[in-house]
Amino acid sequence: MTQSSPRQIDRLLDVMKRLRDPESGCPWDVEQTPATIAPFAIEEAYEVMDAIARDDRDAIPDELGDLLLQVVFQAQMASEAGHFDFETVAGTIADKLVRRHPHVFGDAAMDDDTWEREKEAERQRKAEYGTLAGVALPLPALMRAAKLTRRAARVGFDWDDATGILDKVHEEIDELKAEFGGDRDRIEDELGDVLFTVASLARKLDIDPEAALRRSNAKFTRRFEAMEAMLAQKGQTMAEQDLPTMEALWQAAKKLPGMK
């Protein structure tokens, strides 16, 4: 593995500055705004997660670089507008890490609530009052649901155990069934309640609902592709099959090695 120069961050900042030069830069980069670039940060973060999940040691530094670019891009545009620069960003997060780890950088004793107490103090300094303050709206809805219920649980708004939440899941499913064939808005509302309660159940079980769903997505993909492969050996496609045949193929795929 090639060791990067400790000055590569300076090179990256210079490259970004040149790309944004109104006279000699890249027209695409020059016309971007914080709002047009922002969605790419989410996309790049998920690509980092995917590379890590696949343990792709070659892809991880590349994907991390793409994510770092989003930070550098935003910082460059903010610097041009006179708001802040990359040094401000780096300094802010360094200060925050020191502040949130008084047991490392100070004399405080370590306990399980240290991090959360410091976060709560930061929210108060930002005048973000209320238990649910600061849970970002743009988060994936399932992740945000888990965070909201975790915050509420910290002040005692929670079930005693996972069984109570599971009962609530069944209750919400019954309410969803009652709306079938009716108003679409009501169905969407009740389906949302089911998903929200499932996210709360995952939180109570100390399971990341996003990770659990990604795992099921991958499992479904493996099994479905196995079904297509079995049909391809016969010169057939999924679109040609009836539902009972598809179900039989699904059950067969589930029994194949690596399909659990």
Side-chain angles (χ1 to χ4, degrees), residues 184-237:
R184 178 181 172 81
D185 187 65
R186 288 291 306 149
I187 294 174
E188 180 179 324
D189 185 63
E190 294 297 344
L191 180 57
D193 288 345
V194 172
L195 295 173
F196 187 89
T197 311
V198 168
S200 186
L201 176 61
R203 184 263 311 165
K204 194 69 171 179
L205 294 171
D206 196 26
I207 291 173
D208 177 359
E210 288 280 339
L213 186 54
R214 284 195 299 272
R215 183 173 180 173
S216 289
N217 287 343
K219 180 166 57 177
F220 176 84
T221 300
R222 289 194 303 271
R223 292 174 178 178
F224 194 88
E225 289 177 346
M227 292 166 63
E228 290 183 316
M230 286 187 281
L231 287 171
Q233 292 177 350
K234 303 176 183 178
Q236 301 175 4
T237 66

Side-chain angles (χ1 to χ4, degrees), residues 146-177:
K147 283 182 174 289
L148 288 170
T149 64
R150 189 175 299 115
R151 287 279 190 89
R154 287 212 302 266
V155 296
F157 191 76
D158 195 11
W159 284 267
D160 292 333
D161 53 39
T163 301
I165 308 181
L166 186 59
D167 290 341
K168 184 64 174 177
V169 170
H170 290 301
E171 177 185 325
E172 297 294 353
I173 291 174
D174 288 340
E175 292 180 6
L176 172 62
K177 288 180 179 178

Side-chain angles (χ1 to χ4, degrees), residues 5 36 49 55 105 111 114 121 131 175 183 193 243:
S5 164
T36 62
M49 291 173 63
D55 195 26
F105 301 100
D111 64 66
T114 298
T131 301
E175 292 180 6
D183 180 68
D193 288 345
L243 194 56

Side-chain angles (χ1 to χ4, degrees), residues 95-163:
D95 289 345
K96 183 185 294 185
L97 287 172
V98 171
R99 191 168 59 246
R100 290 185 178 180
H101 295 81
H103 55 291
V104 176
F105 301 100
D107 299 325
M110 174 61 179
D111 64 66
D112 293 339
D113 296 326
T114 298
W115 181 270
E116 288 302 333
R117 280 201 307 271
E118 290 300 320
K119 288 177 67 176
E120 180 61 30
E122 289 169 14
R123 286 193 290 270
Q124 291 182 10
R125 285 193 291 271
K126 295 176 183 177
E128 294 178 345
Y129 298 110
T131 301
L132 305 181
V135 181
L137 283 170
L139 285 172
L142 193 61
M143 182 185 299
R144 188 163 191 267
K147 283 182 174 289
L148 288 170
T149 64
R150 189 175 299 115
R151 287 279 190 89
R154 287 212 302 266
V155 296
F157 191 76
D158 195 11
W159 284 267
D160 292 333
D161 53 39
T163 301

Side-chain angles (χ1 to χ4, degrees), residues 1-41:
M1 180 183 295
T2 302
Q3 184 68 35
S4 297
S5 164
R7 306 303 298 175
Q8 286 298 319
I9 187 62
D10 294 327
R11 178 175 174 234
L12 174 58
L13 292 169
D14 183 62
V15 168
M16 191 71 253
K17 186 176 182 180
R18 291 184 62 183
L19 288 172
R20 286 281 298 176
D21 188 294
E23 300 297 327
S24 59
C26 169
W28 185 89
D29 290 279
V30 171
E31 72 180 11
Q32 300 309 309
T33 68
T36 62
I37 288 298
F40 291 105

